[in-house]
């Protein structure tokens, strides 16, 4: 059965920068294994969209199909309003991408490598090429290393150079596969700041990452893949809200607080030296938890109720821990 076309959608879908319907990729003969299976995905314009899943869940295969680097076995893709791959020539110049790690000519400088990539873009102007290259290198903090051989770059510098390549021109959509891979903490913070700034100026960012903390700090929307299939998609807040709420107690009497929580049927976990965290069970108001803590002589400095963490929700949806090598 063929997938419905990606048109005649409601207004929200019509404004989405990425829409897939029934997107499928199989490898091998006679149907083979489905790396991506019947994927329906919508990425809202202006979002920072986190694309999550364990190793082998189909994330990179999906990204390759979106960018025309792999041919779907079935299904439809609309990118920036254009039906792919028919609209490749008009759509891809408006898309920046960093996929599966950058590859550069090692004996050329960072600036020369970017100039080569820019010259391959039929929509770029030769007269302004030098300015575009300088601007992209400055954006990612490589201005001082512009004339250094790319082969002498560290892994983190090469990752930055790949990001600079994706930013050679104004982009409506930025597709990033593990953009902070190999970066030190300072470099990671700088890339996060850059992504936020790009999103604030209207660029939609589609971000695949194995770092849950990165996704929680950056993303407005999240989709989770498992074994080639989409298991959930929506705003980050709605995903958190689906999980059980948690109570966190700040107290100098952490052991006594944990004992009280256990008596109430809650498994208390030490979140830090002076904090205890536990999942609230249905029907047990936090006011009662607080009263019982006080009755037991626990010195309560603060009580907060939060949604489930993204890590807890991920484990619930995929049945496994998050693969840090994903």
């Amino acid at each position: 059965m063929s997938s419905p076309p990606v048109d005649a959608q409601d207004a929200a879908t019509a404004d989405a920068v990425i829409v897939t319907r029934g997107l499928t990729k199989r490898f091998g003969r006679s149907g083979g294994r489905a790396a991506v299976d019947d994927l329906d995905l919508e990425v809202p314009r202006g979002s920072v969209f986190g694309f999550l899943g364990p190793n082998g869940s189909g994330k990179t295969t999906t990204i390759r199909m979106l960018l025309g680097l792999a041919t779907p076995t079935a299904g439809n893709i609309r990118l920036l309003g254009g039906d792919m791959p028919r609209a490749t020539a008009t759509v891809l110049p408006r898309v920046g991408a960093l996929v599966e790690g950058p590859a550069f000519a090692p004996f050329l400088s960072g600036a020369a490598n970017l100039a080569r990539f820019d010259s391959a873009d039929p929509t770029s102007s030769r007269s302004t090429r030098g300015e575009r290259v300088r601007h992209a290198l400055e954006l990612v903090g490589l201005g001082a290393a512009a004339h250094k051989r790319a082969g002498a770059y560290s892994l983190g510098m090469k990752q930055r150079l790949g990001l600079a390549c994706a930013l050679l021109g104004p982009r409506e959509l930025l597709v990033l596969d593990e953009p902070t891979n190999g970066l030190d903490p300072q470099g990671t913070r700088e890339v996060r700041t850059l992504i936020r700034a790009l999103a604030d100026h209207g660029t939609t960012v589609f971000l695949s990452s194995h770092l849950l903390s990165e996704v929680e700090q950056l993303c407005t929307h999240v989709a989770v893949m498992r074994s080639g299939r989409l298991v959930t998609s929506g705003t980050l807040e709605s995903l958190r809200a689906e999980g059980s709420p948690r109570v966190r107690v700040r107290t100098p009497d952490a052991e006594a607080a944990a004992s009280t929580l256990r008596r109430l049927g809650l498994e208390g976990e030490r979140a830090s030296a002076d904090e205890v965290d536990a999942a609230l069970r249905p029907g047990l108001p936090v006011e009662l938890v607080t009263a019982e803590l006080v009755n037991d002589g626990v010195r309560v400095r603060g009580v907060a109720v939060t949604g489930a963490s993204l890590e807890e929700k991920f484990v619930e949806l995929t049945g496994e821990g998050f693969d840090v090598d994903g």
Side-chain angles (χ1 to χ4, degrees):
M1 182 166 154
S2 61
S3 301
V6 189
D7 49 22
Q9 304 292 336
D10 60 32
T13 299
D15 193 47
V17 297
I18 298 173
V19 183
T20 71
R21 292 289 180 265
L23 188 61
T24 300
K25 179 65 176 178
R26 294 184 178 275
F27 293 101
R29 298 179 179 178
S30 302
R33 176 183 62 87
V36 177
D37 191 6
D38 197 31
L39 174 62
D40 289 352
L41 188 66
E42 295 179 16
V43 177
R45 186 176 298 277
S47 64
V48 180
F49 196 99
F51 197 45
L52 304 177
N55 191 31
S57 62
K59 303 190 306 296
T60 297
T61 300
T62 299
I63 289 173
R64 291 177 63 83
M65 288 191 287
L66 293 176
L67 298 174
L69 301 174
T71 303
T73 305
N76 299 288
I77 301 170
R78 175 167 285 182
L79 205 63
L80 294 174
D83 292 320
M84 300 293 285
R86 189 167 64 247
T88 296
T90 57
V91 167
L92 289 189
R94 298 148 60 197
V95 179
L98 175 59
V99 182
E100 293 187 308
F104 298 102
F107 294 104
L108 293 179
S109 68
N113 269 285
L114 292 193
R116 290 183 69 193
F117 279 101
D118 189 75
S119 66
D121 181 355
T123 67
S124 70
S125 169
R126 183 175 182 177
S127 64
T128 56
R129 180 163 298 144
E131 180 57 35
R132 279 195 301 280
V133 168
R134 282 191 294 274
H135 179 65
L137 288 168
E138 290 293 341
L139 276 177
V140 300
L142 285 179
H147 302 294
K148 184 177 181 179
R149 286 191 306 108
Y153 279 14
S154 67
L155 175 61
M157 292 172 72
K158 289 176 182 176
Q159 193 73 2
R160 288 170 182 259
L161 189 59
L163 190 55
C165 187
L167 296 170
L168 276 168
R171 310 298 188 191
E172 293 178 47
L173 171 64
L174 199 57
V175 179
L176 304 176
D177 192 6
E178 304 290 353
T180 58
N181 182 43
L183 297 180
D184 59 21
Q186 178 62 26
T188 297
R189 285 192 293 271
E190 290 172 358
V191 169
R192 287 174 180 166
T193 300
L194 174 60
I195 290 173
R196 289 192 193 99
L198 291 167
D200 288 343
H201 285 85
T203 300
T204 304
V205 181
F206 186 80
L207 170 71
S208 171
S209 177
H210 72 267
L211 299 174
L212 289 176
S213 61
E214 181 172 83
V215 170
E216 289 196 283
Q217 291 181 52
L218 282 174
C219 295
T220 59
H221 294 70
V222 174
V224 179
M225 297 283 287
R226 179 186 182 187
S227 301
R229 298 189 67 90
L230 182 69
V231 292
T232 192
S233 181
T235 66
L236 182 61
E237 290 308 314
S238 66
L239 183 62
R240 284 175 173 152
E242 292 174 5
S244 301
R246 302 187 67 84
V247 60
R248 176 163 291 193
V249 180
R250 188 160 56 89
T251 172
D253 308 317
E255 288 299 331
S259 177
T260 298
L261 294 176
R262 284 193 296 271
R263 179 172 60 78
L264 295 172
L266 309 180
E267 282 301 319
E269 302 173 359
R270 289 287 290 270
S272 66
D274 62 352
E275 288 184 323
V276 180
D277 183 82
L280 275 173
R281 58 180 172 82
L284 180 63
V286 69
E287 294 84 359
L288 178 59
V289 173
T290 305
E292 291 299 315
L293 287 166
V294 173
N295 287 340
D296 287 348
V298 175
R299 292 170 292 173
V300 178
R301 291 175 175 168
V303 177
V305 178
T306 63
S309 72
L310 184 58
E311 180 178 4
E312 291 165 336
K313 190 61 182 175
F314 180 89
V315 172
E316 177 187 332
L317 289 167
T318 64
E320 56 185 289
F322 204 83
D323 188 330
V324 295
D325 296 322

